Amino acid sequence: MACPNVSWGCLLLLLLCFAWMGDAEYAKYKDPKQPVNTRIKDLIGRMTLAEKIGQMTQIERSVASADVMKNYFIGSILSGGGSVPAPQATPAMWINMVNEFQKGALATRLGIPMIYGIDAVHGNNNVYNATIFPHNVGLGATRDPDLVKRIGEATALEVRATGIPYTFAPCIAVCRDPRWGRCYESYSEDHKIVQQMTDIILGLQGEIPVNHTKGVPYVAKNKVAACAKHFVGDGGTHNGINENNTIIDEHGLLGIHMPPYYDSIIKGVATVMVSYSSVNGEKMHANHDLVTGYLKSKLHFRGFVISDWLGIDRITSPAGANYTYSVQAGVNAGIDMVMVPFNYTEFIEDATSLVNKRIISMSRIDDAVSRILRVKFTMGLFENPLADLSFADQLGKKEHRELAREAVRKSLVLLKNGNTPNQQFLPLPKKASKILVAGSHASNLGYQCGGWSIQWMGGSGDITAGTTILDAIKSTVGDATPVVYSENPDDSLMKKNEFSFAIVVVGEPPYAETVGDNTDLTILDPGPDTIRTVCSALKCAVVVVSGRPVVIEPYLPLMEALVAAWLPGTEGQGIADVLFGDYGFTGKLSRTWFKSVDQLPMNFGDPHYDPLFPLGFGLAINSSQPGFSGTRSRGDKKEITVWAALSLLLSMMIAWA
């Protein structure tokens, strides 16, 4: 009688073991057929505090390794500006590096994949041989959301070519003062233009499905997660000083700086980066009312909020003076992922201690991790965590370079063309006895690309593959037309040669962020002398390569034509296309061009508005050639008139209130 009882007991035990093993093998978070919220809830319930805080930690690739990823459960890695696996690294080298880190993340107990981010702000600009598109200030001059969307699509492919699924772009700041060193990262001083340009998110992440829930991130297969930055008011700091204080009332903040975030969230943006700057004295990295109260609660943003580089450190002055407090203030304000980027052990230890002491609640940690996981699930990282070479041929692809060339053409703004309508200087003839090309920016690809190009601050010379403006001119003119280049010629060169005309290309040196803050806004020396010398002796067209309007009025009478080329990127051929008449000028100023820096800040609609060239200004050329508008316009009169009326009405309402 004893034997059967033992047998039934053994059988029952075996059945229980099999049931347990089956349950252990099946985890809802691993099942792509389960709803995302179900997967998040299941995974959160399995995670320890260490695993959760690890997910909230983003570190720089220079301190990362497979072991670090595994031992600290790190949720994200980034490449800072110029941080690469090797000089002139190939796609294979990038992919191998990213996958090595990813394998460390996948080797953790729960196998949560990491997400790798990079500043692909005008193309995959950290990467050698990538297509570098015009910076945002130039794209704003195109007034072409479809073009910007196509640039987003091409950028997504070139980022994927290096095995990376996340870019810290677009910058949707509304730059209200060109003295700001990041003004070229802004599409316009007019928030409506910036709102239109948020279509780049649809290119980066994919077209959002019909009836998609507002605020929920959307990233299509083989696309990249985008990041709207820098929340909020970074373009309105006092005197245009980077990371400074934005002094503004609620009407101004919500009416000028916030609207691009409405559009970005509607278009499914996956992440939002917080600004270094302050609003009315309160650091944005510690601003609970705006990050949690407005962005998350009022705008219903359900992706994750990321800090800027060492962003929480700068909550205190000096930075890092009380790091534990900075962790507390930043995380409690609503920051979900912290761009540490180096001293990750200190962040993890402080965050853990603050949770254990109940200074940071577990519900706040769970909210942060849920948002991070939502983006990772949405991107399909759990199903396809490792990259391969299938997109490698997209880097610097011919079609992408043609798109960049189109963007350059459409971004150019013609500011002067002859002294009277009947004496137009442009387009230039391709057949001439001899052409002089001068200026510091004519044969310098690095200057042409500006900051955030290969290096954080940009560089000089042949920093990557591309076409300089000089080479573009040479390839455009007739075979029998000699082109002579002299960076800063003296009078003797012009006396010894019979030049038909000159093209002078001058501008700003490359810069980024605070290094670019500038109260003078002058052209790089010896640019002014080059203009005076050349344009006093020859009829000349001046091309300005800059990230913003610069002082130009004193030299305007000397030149026959003036073109704002902004920071065009690698495809300088687009400039020659328009100078020599293969295409027309269609760009309109996305920024007010001042007469003197003493007028700044000055934006359209201001009571003291007295510009050299107003917002929306842009000449066209009378021509029968294909591609020309056939009209000559001093800006978009309707746009300017409407904005003047609206500005006056708003001023009256504020005064009445």
Side-chain angles (χ1 to χ4, degrees):
M1 296 292 296
C3 254
N5 289 336
V6 172
S7 299
W8 281 109
C10 291
L11 183 60
L12 182 60
L13 183 61
L14 283 170
L15 288 171
L16 288 170
C17 287
F18 283 131
W20 179 83
M21 288 172 64
D23 183 63
E25 289 174 3
Y26 176 74
K28 288 183 180 179
Y29 80 90
K30 294 181 178 180
D31 185 355
K33 295 179 181 179
Q34 292 289 338
V36 168
N37 286 340
T38 300
R39 299 178 78 182
I40 293 170
K41 184 178 179 181
D42 179 65
L43 183 49
I44 286 277
R46 298 168 185 268
M47 295 174 72
T48 64
L49 178 60
E51 288 166 332
K52 291 175 181 179
I53 290 175
Q55 282 301 299
M56 297 171 64
T57 309
Q58 185 180 66
I59 64 175
E60 217 284 327
R61 56 158 291 279
S62 59
V63 298
S65 69
D67 284 343
V68 168
M69 302 303 291
K70 180 180 178 181
N71 295 336
Y72 292 92
F73 313 106
I74 301 297
S76 184
I77 301 178
L78 83 152
S79 275
S83 180
V84 298
Q88 300 187 13
T90 63
M93 294 167 75
W94 278 97
I95 289 166
N96 290 338
M97 177 194 70
V98 173
N99 281 348
E100 185 65 23
F101 296 144
Q102 187 68 280
K103 288 172 184 175
L106 296 175
T108 55
R109 181 178 70 94
L110 296 170
I112 304 172
M114 66 90 183
I115 181 172
Y116 197 108
I118 195 167
D119 282 284
V121 298
H122 62 141
N124 197 4
N125 45 262
N126 260 20
V127 177
Y128 185 79
N129 201 38
T131 308
I132 298 183
F133 294 91
H135 266 299
N136 289 355
V137 65
L139 297 182
T142 70
R143 303 294 202 280
D144 191 339
D146 177 70
L147 172 68
V148 170
K149 179 184 168 187
R150 287 185 284 134
I151 288 172
E153 291 170 347
T155 300
L157 289 169
E158 297 212 12
V159 172
R160 281 288 185 177
T162 53
I164 296 171
Y166 178 29
T167 174
F168 306 119
C171 177
I172 54 172
V174 182
C175 176
R176 304 291 285 176
D177 193 327
R179 293 175 292 185
W180 184 37
R182 305 194 78 151
C183 201
Y184 64 77
E185 297 185 57
S186 168
Y187 293 106
S188 180
E189 71 188 45
D190 178 354
H191 69 83
K192 287 198 171 183
I193 295 172
V194 180
Q195 286 176 272
Q196 289 179 327
M197 298 298 121
T198 59
D199 272 10
I200 194 171
I201 294 167
L202 302 177
L204 291 166
Q205 297 191 161
E207 286 281 0
I208 198 161
V210 178
N211 299 324
H212 185 75
T213 304
K214 177 190 170 185
V216 176
Y218 176 76
V219 184
K221 186 179 180 181
N222 299 330
K223 294 288 189 174
V224 296
C227 179
K229 65 183 189 182
H230 308 86
F231 188 81
V232 62
D234 52 337
T237 57
H238 183 62
N239 290 334
I241 299 170
N242 192 41
E243 303 181 24
N244 201 13
N245 188 27
T246 298
I247 305 166
I248 197 166
D249 61 18
E250 186 177 8
H251 286 294
L253 185 68
L254 301 185
I256 296 172
H257 299 285
M258 196 68 79
Y261 288 94
Y262 309 156
D263 291 72
S264 298
I265 290 167
I266 289 168
K267 291 167 187 174
V269 72
T271 73
V272 171
M273 183 181 290
V274 181
S275 177
Y276 288 128
S277 57
S278 304
V279 172
N280 298 325
E282 184 174 359
K283 290 278 189 180
M284 275 306 309
H285 274 73
N287 196 319
H288 180 274
D289 287 346
L290 285 173
V291 176
T292 295
Y294 203 89
L295 177 63
K296 290 184 173 181
S297 300
K298 193 168 184 69
L299 298 186
H300 306 293
F301 174 62
R302 294 178 64 191
F304 69 78
V305 175
I306 187 169
S307 81
D308 208 332
W309 177 279
L310 292 170
I312 64 167
D313 303 55
R314 301 188 199 186
I315 290 173
T316 60
S317 183
N322 187 341
Y323 190 70
T324 302
Y325 169 74
S326 292
V327 174
Q328 171 190 332
V331 174
N332 279 339
I335 294 171
D336 305 311
M337 182 178 283
V338 176
M339 192 183 291
V340 177
F342 301 114
N343 198 358
Y344 54 89
T345 56
E346 184 179 8
F347 169 73
I348 290 170
E349 287 168 4
D350 282 359
T352 302
S353 175
L354 288 165
V355 174
N356 288 333
K357 292 176 181 177
R358 299 186 180 180
I359 296 171
I360 296 175
S361 69
M362 187 59 76
S363 63
R364 172 75 272 271
I365 297 297
D366 285 350
D367 172 61
V369 178
S370 295
R371 290 168 176 273
I372 293 165
L373 294 177
R374 180 174 291 112
V375 172
K376 291 183 177 183
F377 281 126
T378 300
M379 295 173 66
L381 275 177
F382 281 78
E383 287 69 55
N384 298 290
L386 297 174
D388 58 39
L389 288 167
S390 58
F391 293 99
D393 62 347
Q394 298 294 320
L395 191 74
K397 190 177 179 181
K398 180 182 177 182
E399 289 83 352
H400 297 166
R401 293 189 180 276
E402 285 298 319
L403 175 61
R405 181 174 170 181
E406 176 189 347
V408 173
R409 291 195 295 261
K410 290 181 175 179
S411 68
L412 301 179
V413 180
L414 181 58
L415 299 173
K416 180 181 179 181
N417 191 20
N419 294 312
T420 69
N422 296 323
Q423 294 180 331
Q424 293 188 23
F425 188 61
L426 299 179
L428 299 170
K430 294 180 182 179
K431 294 181 180 180
S433 60
K434 191 181 291 186
I435 300 170
L436 173 64
V437 178
S440 54
H441 288 58
S443 185
N444 193 315
L445 193 64
Y447 281 13
Q448 198 173 294
C449 293
W452 291 109
S453 303
I454 303 301
Q455 298 291 334
W456 174 38
M457 288 289 155
S460 178
D462 295 331
I463 60 172
T464 188
T467 303
T468 65
I469 297 168
L470 175 63
D471 287 340
I473 292 168
K474 288 179 176 179
S475 69
T476 301
V477 299
D479 294 338
T481 300
V483 175
V484 176
Y485 173 63
S486 175
E487 185 172 332
N488 187 30
D490 56 23
D491 292 328
S492 64
L493 178 69
M494 284 166 284
K495 289 177 181 177
K496 292 176 184 176
N497 291 272
E498 293 186 0
F499 292 112
S500 302
F501 55 84
I503 302 170
V504 179
V505 190
V506 293
E508 293 187 291
Y511 54 82
E513 302 193 40
T514 304
V515 174
D517 286 354
N518 190 329
T519 56
D520 298 326
L521 296 181
T522 52
I523 292 168
L524 178 68
D525 286 332
D529 286 339
T530 305
I531 294 173
R532 290 190 195 98
T533 302
V534 175
C535 297
S536 295
L538 297 170
K539 289 188 174 183
C540 71
V542 174
V543 178
V544 177
V545 176
S546 67
R548 52 200 164 185
V550 291
V551 174
I552 199 70
E553 188 183 33
Y555 324 115
L556 200 55
L558 297 172
M559 58 188 75
E560 294 294 319
L562 174 62
V563 177
W566 313 112
L567 296 170
T570 52
E571 306 314 304
Q573 189 64 49
I575 293 173
D577 287 343
V578 181
L579 287 180
F580 289 91
D582 292 326
Y583 293 83
F585 284 92
T586 58
K588 292 189 268 185
L589 288 180
S590 58
R591 304 209 50 77
T592 296
W593 203 294
F594 57 84
K595 293 177 181 176
S596 164
V597 291
D598 296 334
Q599 296 174 295
L600 300 176
M602 179 177 65
N603 295 283
F604 189 80
D606 288 347
H608 66 292
Y609 198 70
D610 182 28
L612 182 63
F613 303 108
L615 175 75
F617 183 91
L619 302 176
I621 298 174
N622 292 319
S623 175
S624 59
Q625 293 186 52
F628 285 90
S629 64
T631 61
R632 181 178 177 87
S633 166
R634 299 196 70 84
D636 189 333
K637 189 173 181 181
K638 180 179 178 182
E639 175 183 286
I640 293 171
T641 304
V642 170
W643 274 105
L646 288 174
S647 178
L648 178 61
L649 179 61
L650 181 60
S651 299
M652 291 171 65
M653 289 172 65
I654 293 171
W656 177 78

